[in-house]
Amino acid sequence: NAGVTQTPKFRILKIGQSMTLQCTQDMNHNYMYWYRQDPGMGLKLIYYSVGAGITDKGEVPNGYNVSRSTTEDFPLRLELAAPSQTSVYFCASALGGPQETQYFGPGTRLLVL
Amino acid sequence: GDSVTQMEGPVTLSEEAFLTINCTYTATGYPSLFWYVQYPGEGLQLLLKATKADDKGSNKGFEATYRKETTSFHLEKGSVQVSDSAVYFCALSDPGGNNRLAFGKGNQVVVIP
């Protein structure tokens, strides 16, 4: 099993550009999450999904969108990149709810200039 | 809302020293408690967890006990190694809450040979 994979590993965007961060898991997990990690600030939840076709907002959803058309994939979309979105983005998956162990991908480092 | 507080600042210590990282929490229900570890350049991975009061989680020589009376889940290791250098995050999930983990800000641990 590859676990949780994320692409790209690193990306530089100009202000106003858009991009999609890809996340795929091969563990048949129902729950998937997107977090951002800012220096010294821990992780903040952006969006999560409890199954295919179901998504919901987390703590910091503004400026982002998600979709969950399959169990495996949970892409995160940035429509109009802003410097405040410079961060490291982690995707995670879990078999059940947040009491279950979450498995994290290696992260995508995004720089918006 | 649910929150986790970790002690301030990085922790630097010598190999074979005793490690303690403090974690206290605020929750309305009966949360599950976790310690996640992030090695350099990687995503987070579960270190240990406890799901009810007085439970002790343990893994790789690390231990933490769920103390409901002091709302704490302090992480300890009796003899650290250089390979334990990482960032450690305390987190909680409230089963009656909103499907998310609440993370602390993390503590950088540096072990010097």
Side-chain angles (χ1 to χ4, degrees):
Chain A
N1 284 353
V4 179
T5 57
Q6 292 183 239
T7 57
K9 290 186 178 178
F10 176 67
R11 182 78 181 267
I12 299 175
L13 281 183
K14 294 182 179 178
I15 294 171
Q17 286 186 320
S18 62
M19 76 166 293
T20 298
L21 283 67
Q22 301 291 344
C23 175
T24 300
Q25 53 92 8
D26 63 359
M27 297 174 282
N28 203 31
H29 284 171
N30 290 320
Y31 283 66
M32 295 188 75
Y33 305 84
W34 273 107
Y35 295 93
R36 58 178 288 170
Q37 182 182 31
D38 299 316
M41 296 301 294
L43 277 74
K44 299 292 186 185
L45 182 66
I46 304 171
Y47 271 95
Y48 67 97
S49 168
V50 302
I54 306 170
T55 63
D56 208 346
K57 296 178 180 179
E59 301 171 81
V60 290
N62 291 346
Y64 307 94
N65 277 301
V66 293
S67 59
R68 184 95 182 270
S69 57
T70 66
T71 299
E72 296 78 19
D73 300 306
F74 190 42
L76 177 72
R77 179 85 177 159
L78 283 71
E79 290 293 350
L80 291 170
S84 61
Q85 293 177 305
T86 293
S87 190
V88 181
Y89 292 84
F90 288 101
C91 179
S93 73
L95 187 60
Q99 301 92 281
E100 300 287 334
T101 300
Q102 293 191 13
Y103 295 84
F104 284 78
T108 294
R109 185 176 296 275
L110 177 66
L111 180 60
V112 182
L113 299 174
Chain B
D2 299 343
S3 66
V4 173
T5 301
Q6 290 183 234
M7 53 192 284
E8 291 290 329
V11 178
T12 303
L13 60 170
S14 300
E15 206 165 21
E16 299 183 1
F18 185 87
L19 171 68
T20 299
I21 304 176
N22 289 341
C23 171
T24 57
Y25 67 89
T26 302
T28 53
Y30 298 94
S32 295
L33 300 172
F34 305 82
W35 278 100
Y36 280 83
V37 59
Q38 184 179 29
Y39 298 104
E42 298 183 10
L44 282 71
Q45 56 186 275
L46 180 70
L47 181 60
L48 53 85
K49 69 178 184 181
T51 57
K52 61 182 188 298
D54 300 325
D55 268 2
K56 178 185 285 188
S58 60
N59 186 26
K60 299 182 180 180
F62 290 89
E63 293 183 339
T65 301
Y66 188 144
R67 302 284 188 201
K68 189 169 183 291
E69 63 275 14
T70 55
T71 61
S72 65
F73 193 54
H74 304 322
L75 182 68
E76 296 181 336
K77 186 173 185 181
S79 176
V80 294
Q81 305 300 312
V82 172
S83 57
D84 294 325
S85 298
V87 181
Y88 292 81
F89 293 92
C90 186
L92 73 81
S93 72
D94 187 341
N98 52 6
N99 269 325
R100 71 177 184 95
L101 281 180
F103 282 90
K105 292 184 177 181
N107 286 102
Q108 173 86 51
V109 172
V110 177
V111 181
I112 300 170

